[in-house]
Amino acid sequence: MSEPTRAAAPAGAAPAPATDTGGTDGGAATPPGDRRWHEAFARIVSGGWAVSLGAVVLAILAGSVMIAFTDEAVQESAGYFFARPADTFAAIGQAVGGAYAALFRGAVWNYEADSFAAAVRPLTQSLTYATPLIAAGLGVAVAFRAGMFNIGGQGQLLVSAAAAGWVGFAFDLPIGLHLVVAVVVGILAGALWAGIAGLLKAATGAHEVIVTIMLNYIAFYLLSYLLATPGLLQAPGSANPKTPAMADTAVMPGLLGDRYNLHVGFLLVLGAVVLVWWLLNRSSLGFGFRALGENAHAARVAGIDVRRTTVLAMGVAGALVGLAGTTQVLGLITTGFGADIDAGVGFDAITVALLGGSSPVGVLLAGILFGAFKAGGSSMQALEGVPIEIVLVVQSLIVLFIAAPPLVRAVFRLPQPGGRARRRPGRGATGTPTSQEVAA
């Protein structure tokens, strides 16, 4: 580091303050504003957001390879690749570009529609599919933050759907009150079902993964029995295992009219995102969840009731998954439902929570992304003939890459978290602050 220079001073006068000429190379020191931007960028690329985005990019690239290999035009042109390689590359570009263009048209914006209402419909459909995914993803994320793996989303969703649906078609209540009661009953049913796993873990130490998997089977076969038994959930006079249609007073109203499927449940889910953010970051209960997730023994030493917090965490997680179940039967499938009402949401929620980094905002964005995959996958298959299973493979690859963050960081050359910090510009070789930093 260059020595500080001092201005000449008259005899008896106080010496002038030292000025730093910069770093080891004698250049000017980096301004504090530039350092702040550099540190902010370093935090972004070393955090979980960069890994999640990288996982999505890698999965989409892998999906592009599969689209190219399964396309008939690509296979045909590959037969004479060495004679005319340009034909193969053109076919690959047309296959991949056409597939993802169809995905965009089916999930975000149909730029070939003749009206704004028709053009925006794909986006509303994506948000409709994303509604239960976000709610269930929040439930899985809360359990993650409390150090538990809530793999029982399927069972919690089925039980909540059965409870909310039963209130929806079996009771005759005033408009407004009927919907509120059905939603509350569905949420409580999900909380109670997940609370069983939390209670068993707190009381006996039973692992929540095993318990929730078993509860999934119990919920599925219990709902199947209720749907196949006259006088319970089965529609009167029908031999099909299906419930009656929901009463009009219990159906969630649409947000944009009858032409679109988007309903009030999406607003409830947005409210749940805000509530979970406040719960985890601003409440004492959320602090208990996070402390339990970091270290249960330290949380107990700090005075937190670990057993009570475990039960409450699973109860809150189940309540959020229960919200997903109520939106399914009261908002999307209101003409009666069967045992397949889960539609894979319970397990997709695990992927959404992982991709979102178990943060409320991350779960919101991940849920919208997976809702877009679901809405656009059908369009991609119908318009371009691409197998819809490729979308499922892309989702699975996202989970694979999320589970291997070192691989994603190595591919995109992202810095490892917790690594040795690089010396800031404007500091000496020993890392001590310069005189300008001290003066600041």
Side-chain angles (χ1 to χ4, degrees), residues 24 26 40 155 386:
T24 56
V386 177

Side-chain angles (χ1 to χ4, degrees), residues 183-357:
V183 171
V184 171
V185 169
I187 291 175
L188 290 178
L192 291 174
W193 199 256
I196 296 174
L199 182 62
L200 290 175
K201 181 179 179 64
T204 67
H207 202 287
E208 70 278 1
V209 172
I210 303 300
V211 176
T212 50
I213 290 176
M214 295 299 102
L215 288 173
N216 285 344
Y217 283 102
I218 294 173
F220 176 77
Y221 288 111
L222 176 61
L223 179 59
S224 299
Y225 167 75
L226 295 175
L227 290 171
T229 304
L232 296 179
L233 291 183
Q234 189 181 49
S238 174
N240 296 325
K242 185 178 179 181
T243 67
M246 303 298 109
D248 293 339
T249 54
V251 174
M252 293 181 177
L255 290 178
L256 303 173
D258 297 335
R259 187 171 182 177
Y260 304 98
N261 293 325
L262 190 62
H263 50 79
V264 170
F266 181 69
L267 297 182
L268 295 179
V269 168
L270 292 181
V273 171
V274 177
L275 180 62
V276 171
W277 178 88
W278 176 86
L279 173 69
L280 293 177
N281 298 284
R282 293 293 185 268
S283 69
S284 58
L285 181 60
F287 174 79
F289 290 172
R290 291 186 286 114
L292 179 63
E294 292 292 336
N295 192 313
H297 300 289
R300 184 180 291 108
V301 171
I304 296 175
D305 190 337
V306 173
R307 293 186 176 183
R308 174 177 174 271
T309 305
T310 298
V311 177
L312 288 177
M314 285 301 295
V316 171
L320 292 166
V321 180
L323 177 60
T326 61
T327 61
Q328 283 286 87
V329 299
L330 303 179
L332 183 61
I333 306 173
T334 60
T335 58
F337 62 90
D340 58 348
I341 186 64
D342 169 67
V345 172
F347 287 104
D348 288 344
I350 301 174
T351 308
V352 170
L354 288 173
L355 182 60

